[in-house]
C-alpha cells in the first residue's frame, strides 16, 4: 500500500508529488506540466532520426501527430515509473489501422504519461475528442442522476440499457506498464473495498485464476466473463501479460452492477439491466461509483483524476468520464435509410453490433451509445443518449407509418 505521506500528496486538493531515493515516485497529484519531473533519460546508441518509426501507411491519431521533431524531443524521456514513449506508441506502430476507421494508436503507462508525453498526447486528445483542448479547458464531472430527464424508453424497441466507465487507482501503473506486484495490488485494493458494499450493491468477487468450472460457466451464461485479450491493439500494448493473474469479475447479487478488475483498465464499472429504464440504470451507476470511491478512499487510496482530463484511463479515447451509455434497440427500418449515419453523427451517437466493436447488427438490433467522453459531464452524456435514442425511435415509428423523417441539426458538443 502507498505510504501515508504518499497518499496525502496524492489528494485531488494538492499539487506536487513525492520523490524518493532510487526513482520511486508517487503518482498522485493534480497534473500540471510544471509540477511533473520526468524520470531518468534513456541512453541511446543511435540518434532519434534512426529510431523514428515508419508511419507512412498508418491511419491512427498517433501517426498523424508524431512528427520527427516531436519524436526527437520525447524519445529519451521516461515517466517517473520508467515508461517510455516507444512503449506508449508501440500499439500504434504495430497496428497501422483501417483505411476507414481511425484508431488512437497510443496508450498511457501511468498517470504521468499524459504530462511527460504531453507534446504528443495533447494534440491526439484534441483530435480524438472533437476539439477539446486539455491545456485550456476543464472537464466537468456530475454524478447526480436526479438531473436526468425522460430516462425511460419504449420497451417495444429498447431491449436493454447499460452505462459503463473505468477507474484507475492513483499511485499504481496502468495495465500496459504495471508489474505483477502492482497488478496484484490493484486487485487487492479493489476487492477489499468492494467487500464493504451493502444492500442492493452487495455481491461477490470471482478471480479468473481461482474460479471453479461451474462458476466460470455461470459467468459465461450471464455474459459477464471477459476473455484474454486477443486484439493486437491490446496485446501490442502489453495488456495480456501474465494472464489471468490478478484478473477477475465482481457483481452484485442481482447481477445488475459489475466491476471488471485488471482488464484494459484497473477497473471497468458497469450498471445494466434488461428493458428501457435508463434512469434506474444511471441511478445505480452513480450510487455504486460513489460508494466504491468512498470505500477506496477509506482505505487510503483514490482514483486518478485531474480537472483538465477528468478521470485518467489507459486509452486517451476514454479520458474524462470514460462513460459509454448504451442501449440495444430495434431499428430495422431506420437502419436501412441512407440518412441513418448522418442522423447518428448529428446526435453525437455511435452504432455497433450487439456483439461489440466490429460486429454486425442482427435483425436490425443495434448497440447505440454516446460518441463523446471528454468535455461533457456524465449527466450530459447520458441525457444525450436518452434524447438521441428517443429521436431514433420516433423516426422508426414514422417509417412504420410510411411517413418521412428529418435529419436533426447537429447538437453542440461542449455546453
Amino acid at each position: 500500500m502507498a505510504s501515508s505521506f504518499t497518499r496525502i500528496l496524492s489528494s485531488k486538493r494538492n499539487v506536487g508529488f513525492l520523490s524518493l531515493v532510487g526513482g520511486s515516485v508517487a503518482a498522485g497529484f493534480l497534473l500540471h506540466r510544471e509540477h511533473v519531473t520526468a524520470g531518468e533519460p534513456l541512453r541511446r546508441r543511435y540518434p532519434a532520426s534512426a529510431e523514428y518509426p515508419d508511419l507512412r501507411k498508418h491511419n491512427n491519431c498517433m501517426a498523424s501527430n508524431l512528427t520527427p521533431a516531436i519524436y526527437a524531443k520525447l524519445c529519451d524521456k521516461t515517466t517517473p515509473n520508467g515508461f517510455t514513449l516507444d512503449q506508449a506508441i508501440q500499439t500504434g506502430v504495430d497496428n497501422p489501422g483501417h483505411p476507414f476507421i481511425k484508431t488512437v494508436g497510443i496508450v498511457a503507462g501511468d498517470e504521468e504519461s499524459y504530462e511527460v508525453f504531453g507534446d504528443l498526447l495533447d494534440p491526439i486528445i484534441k483530435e480524438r475528442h472533437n476539439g477539446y483542448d486539455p491545456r485550456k479547458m476543464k472537464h466537468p464531472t456530475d454524478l447526480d442522476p436526479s438531473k436526468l430527464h425522460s430516462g425511460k424508453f419504449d420497451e417495444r424497441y429498447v431491449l436493454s440499457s447499460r452505462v459503463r466507465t473505468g477507474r484507475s487507482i492513483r499511485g499504481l501503473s496502468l495495465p500496459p506498464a504495471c508489474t505483477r506486484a502492482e497488478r496484484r495490488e490493484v486487485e487487492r485494493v479493489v476487492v477489499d473495498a468492494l467487500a464493504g458494499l451493502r444492500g442492493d450493491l452487495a455481491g461477490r468477487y470471482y478471480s479468473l485464476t481461482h474460479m471453479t468450472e461451474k462458476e466460470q460457466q455461470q459467468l459465461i451464461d450471464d455474459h459477464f466473463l471477459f476473455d484474454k485479450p486477443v486484439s493486437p491493439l491490446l496485446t501490442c500494448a502489453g495488456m495480456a501479460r501474465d494472464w489471468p493473474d490478478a484478473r477477475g469479475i465482481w457483481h452484485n447479487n442481482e447481477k445488475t452492477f459489475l466491476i471488471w478488475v485488471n482488464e484494459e483498465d484497473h477497473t471497468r464499472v458497469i450498471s445494466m439491466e434488461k428493458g428501457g429504464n435508463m434512469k434506474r440504470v444511471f441511478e445505480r451507476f452513480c450510487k455504486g461509483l460513489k460508494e466504491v470511491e468512498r470505500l477506496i478512499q477509506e482505505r487510503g487510496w483514490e482514483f486518478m483524476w485531474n480537472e483538465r482530463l477528468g478521470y485518467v484511463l489507459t486509452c486517451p479515447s476514454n479520458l474524462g468520464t470514460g462513460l459509454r451509455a448504451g442501449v440495444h434497440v430495434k431499428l430495422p427500418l431506420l437502419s436501412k435509410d441512407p440518412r441513418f449515419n448522418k442522423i447518428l453523427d448529428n446526435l453525437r451517437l455511435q452504432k455497433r453490433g450487439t456483439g461489440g466493436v466490429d460486429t454486425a447488427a442482427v435483425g436490425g438490433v443495434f448497440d447505440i451509445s454516446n460518441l463523446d467522453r471528454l468535455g461533457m459531464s456524465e449527466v450530459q452524456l447520458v441525457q444525450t443518449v436518452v434524447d438521441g435514442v428517443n429521436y431514433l425511435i420516433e423516426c422508426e415509428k414514422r417509417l412504420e407509418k410510411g411517413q418521412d423523417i428529418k435529419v436533426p441539426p447537429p447538437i453542440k458538443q461542449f455546453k
Side-chain angles (χ1 to χ4, degrees), residues 4-133:
S4 298
F5 186 37
T6 300
R7 294 195 300 274
I8 289 171
L9 288 177
S10 70
S11 168
K12 287 183 188 178
R13 298 180 295 275
N14 294 285
V15 178
F17 63 89
L18 175 64
S19 180
L20 302 176
V21 175
S24 175
V25 179
F29 48 86
L30 266 177
L31 290 178
H32 291 282
R33 191 163 297 168
E34 61 269 24
H35 297 288
V36 177
T37 301
E40 291 295 320
L42 294 175
R43 294 181 178 179
R44 289 188 177 274
R45 195 170 184 179
Y46 299 98
S49 59
E51 295 284 3
Y52 182 73
D54 183 356
L55 303 173
R56 289 173 294 179
K57 296 182 179 180
H58 287 57
N59 183 41
N60 57 51
C61 297
M62 178 276 295
S64 298
N65 291 279
L66 183 63
T67 64
I70 291 179
Y71 183 81
K73 181 179 180 180
L74 300 179
C75 67
D76 290 337
K77 293 185 177 182
T78 68
T79 68
N81 296 312
F83 193 66
T84 69
L85 175 69
D86 282 316
Q87 288 174 301
I89 67 173
Q90 195 63 56
T91 181
V93 174
D94 291 347
N95 298 280
H98 191 279
F100 308 112
I101 302 174
K102 194 167 190 177
T103 55
V104 176
I106 189 170
V107 294
D110 46 35
E111 190 169 10
E112 298 93 330
S113 295
Y114 287 102
E115 294 304 313
V116 175
F117 308 126
D119 288 328
L120 174 59
L121 279 161
D122 286 351
I124 288 174
I125 290 168
K126 192 171 183 179
E127 177 185 352
R128 179 59 181 81
H129 292 282
N130 201 35
Y132 181 91
D133 189 338

Side-chain angles (χ1 to χ4, degrees), residues 39-290:
E40 291 295 320
L42 294 175
R43 294 181 178 179
R44 289 188 177 274
R45 195 170 184 179
Y46 299 98
S49 59
E51 295 284 3
Y52 182 73
D54 183 356
L55 303 173
R56 289 173 294 179
K57 296 182 179 180
H58 287 57
N59 183 41
N60 57 51
C61 297
M62 178 276 295
S64 298
N65 291 279
L66 183 63
T67 64
I70 291 179
Y71 183 81
K73 181 179 180 180
L74 300 179
C75 67
D76 290 337
K77 293 185 177 182
T78 68
T79 68
N81 296 312
F83 193 66
T84 69
L85 175 69
D86 282 316
Q87 288 174 301
I89 67 173
Q90 195 63 56
T91 181
V93 174
D94 291 347
N95 298 280
H98 191 279
F100 308 112
I101 302 174
K102 194 167 190 177
T103 55
V104 176
I106 189 170
V107 294
D110 46 35
E111 190 169 10
E112 298 93 330
S113 295
Y114 287 102
E115 294 304 313
V116 175
F117 308 126
D119 288 328
L120 174 59
L121 279 161
D122 286 351
I124 288 174
I125 290 168
K126 192 171 183 179
E127 177 185 352
R128 179 59 181 81
H129 292 282
N130 201 35
Y132 181 91
D133 189 338
R135 289 296 148 195
K136 298 179 180 178
M137 302 174 74
K138 293 183 178 180
H139 171 79
T141 295
D142 190 347
L143 290 168
D144 182 355
S146 69
K147 297 178 181 178
L148 188 68
H149 304 291
S150 304
K152 294 183 179 180
F153 297 117
D154 187 334
E155 296 191 351
R156 292 174 296 175
Y157 298 89
V158 173
L159 307 179
S160 63
S161 306
R162 161 176 144 153
V163 181
R164 67 89 163 150
T165 191
R167 290 291 187 267
S168 307
I169 308 298
R170 178 163 276 165
L172 298 171
S173 295
L174 296 169
C178 66
T179 65
R180 296 182 187 93
E182 285 180 302
R183 189 185 300 115
R184 292 165 186 166
E185 183 73 341
V186 169
E187 181 185 42
R188 187 196 66 77
V189 169
V190 173
V191 173
D192 184 44
L194 293 175
L197 291 174
R198 297 290 182 265
D200 61 344
L201 296 175
R204 178 185 168 189
Y205 179 69
Y206 298 86
S207 165
L208 265 62
T209 305
H210 301 116
M211 70 174 60
T212 66
E213 289 186 8
K214 182 178 179 180
E215 290 169 342
Q216 182 181 39
Q217 187 58 52
Q218 185 61 56
L219 289 168
I220 292 173
D221 292 342
D222 291 332
H223 304 288
F224 291 171
L225 191 65
F226 59 88
D227 296 322
K228 179 178 180 179
V230 295
S231 167
L233 293 172
L234 300 182
T235 57
C236 292
M239 295 187 207
R241 292 174 297 128
D242 308 306
W243 197 272
D245 187 30
R247 277 85 169 189
I249 300 166
W250 180 96
H251 67 72
N252 67 343
N253 296 326
E254 285 75 27
K255 300 181 180 181
T256 55
F257 189 67
L258 287 74
I259 296 181
W260 293 354
V261 179
N262 284 323
E263 191 227 13
E264 183 177 339
D265 290 297
H266 285 169
T267 63
R268 280 286 176 93
V269 182
I270 306 164
S271 174
M272 64 183 193
E273 63 180 65
K274 297 291 186 182
N277 197 333
M278 178 62 81
K279 186 171 182 64
R280 185 166 59 205
V281 170
F282 188 50
E283 288 172 345
R284 185 188 311 112
F285 173 83
C286 295
K287 176 184 175 182
L289 266 181
K290 291 174 183 176

Side-chain angles (χ1 to χ4, degrees), residues 157 330-331 333-335 337 339-340 343-344 347 388-408:
Y157 298 89
K330 294 187 288 185
L331 302 169
L333 299 180
L334 179 59
S335 61
D337 191 287
R339 295 166 289 184
F340 184 39
I343 291 172
L344 291 174
L347 295 174
V389 169
N390 278 330
Y391 188 87
L392 298 179
I393 292 173
E394 184 59 32
C395 287
E396 184 71 19
K397 290 178 178 179
R398 289 183 64 85
L399 291 173
E400 289 172 352
K401 298 175 183 177
Q403 298 172 347
D404 193 21
I405 60 174
K406 295 181 179 180
V407 176

